[in-house]
């Protein structure tokens, strides 16, 4: 029983990483119209930035600064590299973000080395909170709380701020948004940066749980795409839900048949695509 | 003819393409301060393309556009809008998944008389429906919302693309009333219409567009004096009685 709970909780944590990453991917897909294959590399970048910043500004400082910094780098890359590709064949941006993923990954390897690095979280968080439920460490609970906070803040921003309203409007009709006096170039850059910020945050949190490697994001990328499909393309809430579902499902399967823990993710996707192609919370008519 | 003293818009020899198809073939037009100008023409004549070109959405390949004494020919739409241009697109283009209130929070509000509060005063129906999704509004409400959205920019120049399209006659009257009200408040208006009689009833001047060219222009009064002229140029669908 404890083992099952242990795996479910582990799965939940990984699922939250998927969720954060999927949120960023969904944002960028929605307004920028780009499938960002570089999201995994940006996740790793966030983690490594935190690794380097921590000795200078401490864990908490790094936790805040690294995602922001990653987001800023994303914003600059959007302005320089991605912006010229809007309105062209999606193949261009696909190739670009794919190349970007490789370049960032290589830069990480050259800067910090190919071997794994540890990312220590503050001592008080690394102890189990309960003897029976040894896996309930302070850090894991912290990851849950922080993900809820981050996703909540993002939803609040989209719901209540003018920038958020414009991003939502632009998801359906960017041209009309521009005709209403909004600089859509800037809006797209901000949105891209916001998506990368979510990936960067996932990177810092994942570093504290899984350690750092240049490829740490690559292994989270595919499941994050699956999370979007399961949750429903176009629905941010769906992305979160999708991430949690496949994470937890993977955890459960690990208990009984570890070899299938990854396969189950794609199985869930296949079932969703057959039974409900629009995904759990996706809008009707988008894919069916 | 109410040719006013100062021009706010002067478009000269506009040529616009969609890919390889040459749609606007040398359109020139002017709008004076405080004037209500209408562009008539049958379906496919290039009316929408003209507005899109003026708004920077489908930039002209040749020609120049001067607005408020500035050459805006190569400007992006948002810069043009921020000069004080309100645009009410064909088909309204309401953000259907956003509430009425959120629709009104999209535009880059410029300072002026129009704020969310004064807009809700002008359109009480929108105030009532402020929490409804745009997609759930009636056609008339959507048209009002599209106009309200444009007014929040506090425009000095308002462009409307077939605001009467698909609306019941009573609602059309209401919409036309609002448009005249704006003109009377000093906003210059460029109104596109297929329904010539409707537009000529409110306009100061009119242009007739045919196959991407201006084929006729005159004061609205002059057009109204000669019904045959309107019919001949703009097609039979423009019968005043609506016997189409
Ligand atoms: N996006 C487009 N791509 C190609 N051709 C278009 C496009 N939009 C309009 N057209 C063509 O341009 C011409 C003028 O269209 P439009 O400006 O919409 O006319 P109107 O508004 O007067 O009905 C039409 O022949 C139409 O088929
Ligand atoms: Mg049209």
């Amino acid at each position: 029983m404890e083992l099952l709970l242990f795996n479910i909780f582990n799965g939940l944590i990984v699922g939250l990483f998927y969720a954060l990453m999927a949120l960023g991917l969904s944002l960028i897909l929605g307004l920028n119209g780009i499938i960002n294959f570089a999201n995994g590399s940006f996740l790793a970048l966030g983690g490594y930035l935190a690794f380097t910043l921590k000795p200078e500004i401490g864990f908490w400082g790094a936790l805040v600064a690294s995602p922001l910094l990653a987001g800023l780098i994303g914003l600059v890359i959007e302005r320089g590299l991605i912006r010229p590709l809007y309105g062209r064949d999606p193949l261009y941006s696909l190739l670009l973000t794919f190349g970007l993923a490789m370049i960032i990954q290589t830069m990480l390897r050259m800067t910090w080395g190919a071997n794994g690095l540890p990312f220590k979280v503050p001592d008080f968080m690394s102890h189990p909170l309960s003897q029976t439920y040894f896996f309930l460490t302070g850090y894991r609970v912290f990851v849950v709380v922080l993900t809820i906070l981050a996703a909540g803040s993002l939803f609040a921003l989209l719901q209540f701020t003018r920038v958020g309203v414009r991003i939502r409007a632009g998801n359906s009709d960017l041209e009309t948004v521009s005709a209403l006096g909004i600089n859509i170039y800037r809006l797209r850059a901000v949105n891209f940066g916001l998506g990368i910020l979510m990936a960067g945050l996932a990177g810092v949190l994942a570093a504290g749980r899984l350690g750092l490697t240049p490829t740490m994001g690559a292994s989270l990328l595919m499941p994050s795409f699956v999370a979007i499909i399961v949750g429903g393309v176009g629905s941010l809430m769906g992305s979160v839900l999708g991430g949690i579902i496949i994470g937890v499902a993977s955890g459960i399967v690990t208990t009984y048949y570890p070899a299938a823990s990854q396969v189950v993710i794609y199985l869930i996707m296949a079932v969703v695509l057959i039974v409900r192609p629009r995904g759990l919370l996706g809008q009707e008519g988008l894919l069916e | 003819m109410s040719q006013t003293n100062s021009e706010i818009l002067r478009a000269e020899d506009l040529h616009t393409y969609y890919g390889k198809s040459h749609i606007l073939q040398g359109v020139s037009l002017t709008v004076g301060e405080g004037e209500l100008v209408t562009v008539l023409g049958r379906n496919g004549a290039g009316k929408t393309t003209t507005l899109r070109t003026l708004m920077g959405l489908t930039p002209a390949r040749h020609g120049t556009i001067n607005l408020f004494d500035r050459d805006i020919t190569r400007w992006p739409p948002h810069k043009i809008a921020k000069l004080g241009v309100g645009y009410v697109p064909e088909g309204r283009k309401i953000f259907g998944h956003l509430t009425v209130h959120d629709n009104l929070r999209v535009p880059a509000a410029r300072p002026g008389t129009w704020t969310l509060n004064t807009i809700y005063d002008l359109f009480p129906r929108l105030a009532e429906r402020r929490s409804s999704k745009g997609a759930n509004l009636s056609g008339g409400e959507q048209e009002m919302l599209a106009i309200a959205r444009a007014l929040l920019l506090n425009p000095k120049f308002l462009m409307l693309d077939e605001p009467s399209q698909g609306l019941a006659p009573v609602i059309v009257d209401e919409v036309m009333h609002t448009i005249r009200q704006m003109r009377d408040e000093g906003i210059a208006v460029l109104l596109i219409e297929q329904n010539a009689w409707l537009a000529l009833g409110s306009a100061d001047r009119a242009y007739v567009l045919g196959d991407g060219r201006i084929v006729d222009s005159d004061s609205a009064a002059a057009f109204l004096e000669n019904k045959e002229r309107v019919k001949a140029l703009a097609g039979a669908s423009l019968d005043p009685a609506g016997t189409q």
Side-chain angles (χ1 to χ4, degrees):
Chain A
M1 188 59 201
E2 266 106 65
L3 184 66
L4 178 63
L5 277 177
F6 167 74
N7 281 319
I8 288 179
F9 200 64
N10 262 354
L12 173 68
I13 299 290
V14 177
L16 292 176
F17 298 151
Y18 297 155
L20 282 176
M21 182 103 129
L23 271 178
L25 285 168
S26 285
L27 266 182
I28 291 171
L29 181 64
L31 190 75
N32 303 74
I34 280 174
I35 295 176
N36 183 24
F37 277 111
N39 233 44
S41 294
F42 278 112
L43 178 144
L45 177 67
Y48 277 101
L49 285 173
F51 176 84
T52 298
L53 288 174
K54 202 179 82 166
E56 313 294 329
I57 57 176
F59 173 79
W60 300 101
L63 179 69
V64 174
S66 315
L68 285 175
L69 209 57
L72 204 66
I73 294 170
L75 194 144
V76 170
I77 288 180
E78 193 276 349
R79 296 224 97 165
L81 295 176
I82 296 179
R83 186 172 147 174
L85 300 184
Y86 292 124
R88 300 205 187 189
D89 193 314
L91 190 61
Y92 287 102
S93 57
L94 224 60
L95 287 172
L96 179 79
T97 63
F98 203 76
L100 213 55
M102 300 298 180
I103 291 168
I104 295 172
Q105 215 178 86
T106 306
M107 276 166 49
L108 296 177
R109 192 173 295 122
M110 282 162 57
T111 314
W112 283 282
N115 296 327
L117 294 171
F119 184 75
K120 267 183 63 69
V121 300
D123 274 340
F124 77 90
M125 287 201 291
S126 48
H127 302 302
L129 296 175
S130 138
Q131 292 302 320
T132 333
Y133 303 111
F134 60 95
F135 48 87
L136 270 180
T137 63
Y139 185 69
R140 292 181 192 185
V141 174
F142 172 73
V143 167
V144 174
V145 172
L146 209 73
T147 305
I148 293 172
L149 271 178
S153 310
L154 180 68
F155 286 123
L157 180 130
L158 291 173
Q159 203 60 44
F160 301 118
T161 70
R162 279 197 186 249
V163 173
V165 171
R166 286 164 186 164
I167 288 175
R168 282 188 290 133
N171 281 343
S172 67
D173 186 354
L174 201 54
E175 186 180 275
T176 299
V177 172
S178 78
L180 291 169
I182 306 306
N183 185 340
I184 58 167
Y185 300 104
R186 198 185 299 158
L187 192 68
R188 271 192 298 221
V190 166
N191 184 71
F192 194 85
L194 210 56
I196 301 302
L197 192 153
M198 297 314 269
L201 179 64
V204 185
L205 293 178
R209 169 82 186 82
L210 313 163
L212 289 156
T213 61
T215 55
M216 64 188 282
S219 51
L220 296 173
L221 186 64
M222 278 328 276
S224 303
F225 282 127
V226 174
I228 292 177
I229 294 170
V230 169
V233 177
S235 164
L236 292 183
M237 202 64 97
S239 294
V240 175
L241 188 67
I244 291 173
I245 287 176
I246 60 172
V248 168
S250 173
I252 294 172
V253 171
T254 303
T255 316
Y256 303 106
Y257 190 50
S261 67
Q262 282 300 300
V263 176
V264 70
I265 292 176
Y266 300 97
L267 229 85
I268 292 175
M269 177 173 82
V271 170
V272 167
L273 281 177
I274 292 166
V275 177
R276 196 178 157 87
R278 78 180 86 144
L280 297 174
L281 303 181
Q283 283 148 18
E284 197 168 356
L286 218 55
L287 286 175
E288 55 191 285
Chain B
M1 225 193 270
S2 68
Q3 183 60 50
T4 41
N5 31 15
S6 65
E7 273 170 17
I8 58 150
L9 173 76
R10 168 171 284 272
E12 273 174 346
D13 195 29
L14 297 179
H15 289 258
T16 303
Y17 295 71
Y18 287 117
K20 279 187 179 142
S21 27
H22 191 175
I23 306 296
L24 296 193
Q25 309 187 5
V27 168
S28 302
L29 56 86
T30 63
V31 175
E33 204 169 281
E35 226 186 355
L36 201 169
V37 176
T38 182
V39 177
L40 310 170
R42 70 189 78 196
N43 208 1
K47 304 182 297 296
T48 295
T49 308
T50 302
L51 276 207
R52 289 182 57 87
T53 300
L54 294 175
M55 198 61 218
L57 293 166
T58 312
R61 257 187 229 175
H62 304 285
T64 56
I65 306 170
N66 269 279
L67 184 68
F68 307 132
D69 294 321
R70 272 175 239 234
D71 183 353
I72 61 153
T73 314
R74 301 271 167 268
W75 284 24
H78 71 268
K79 272 186 78 180
I80 296 173
K82 292 216 86 165
L83 270 185
V85 179
Y87 176 61
V88 181
E90 183 172 42
R92 290 139 208 154
K93 301 284 175 65
I94 293 305
F95 305 111
H97 59 302
L98 265 55
T99 62
V100 166
H101 192 67
D102 279 347
N103 265 277
L104 294 174
R105 293 179 74 205
V106 174
R110 288 173 3 112
T113 41
W114 296 115
T115 63
L116 278 172
N117 285 333
T118 52
I119 282 292
Y120 280 139
D121 287 343
L122 181 69
F123 301 112
R125 187 76 191 128
L126 293 183
E128 278 167 38
R129 306 217 56 181
R130 55 184 285 156
S131 310
S132 307
K133 290 260 157 68
N136 296 335
L137 301 185
S138 71
E141 289 165 343
Q142 288 194 348
E143 190 59 49
M144 292 304 177
L145 182 56
I147 294 174
R149 210 171 51 176
L151 287 180
L152 281 165
L153 281 135
N154 281 290
K156 294 177 280 177
F157 178 41
L158 190 58
M159 299 199 279
L160 305 102
D161 196 339
E162 298 206 38
S164 71
Q165 201 178 41
L167 301 185
V170 209
I171 312 291
V172 171
D173 287 346
E174 214 175 301
V175 170
M176 289 309 294
H177 174 78
T178 308
I179 293 170
R180 283 194 301 272
Q181 196 179 340
M182 294 310 130
R183 188 264 315 272
D184 294 343
E185 291 188 8
I187 303 176
V189 179
L190 186 59
L191 169 68
I192 281 186
E193 260 308 330
Q194 262 197 74
N195 187 335
W197 303 108
L198 181 77
L200 289 169
S202 298
D204 300 308
R205 279 193 306 124
Y207 291 94
V208 180
L209 202 57
D211 291 332
R213 288 168 222 262
I214 299 287
V215 293
D216 199 1
S217 69
D218 211 333
S219 72
F223 273 111
L224 286 173
E225 270 166 27
N226 187 349
K227 297 199 157 86
E228 292 310 311
R229 184 178 175 198
V230 184
K231 270 191 197 164
L233 285 166
S237 68
L238 306 169
D239 206 281
T243 52
Q244 312 189 349

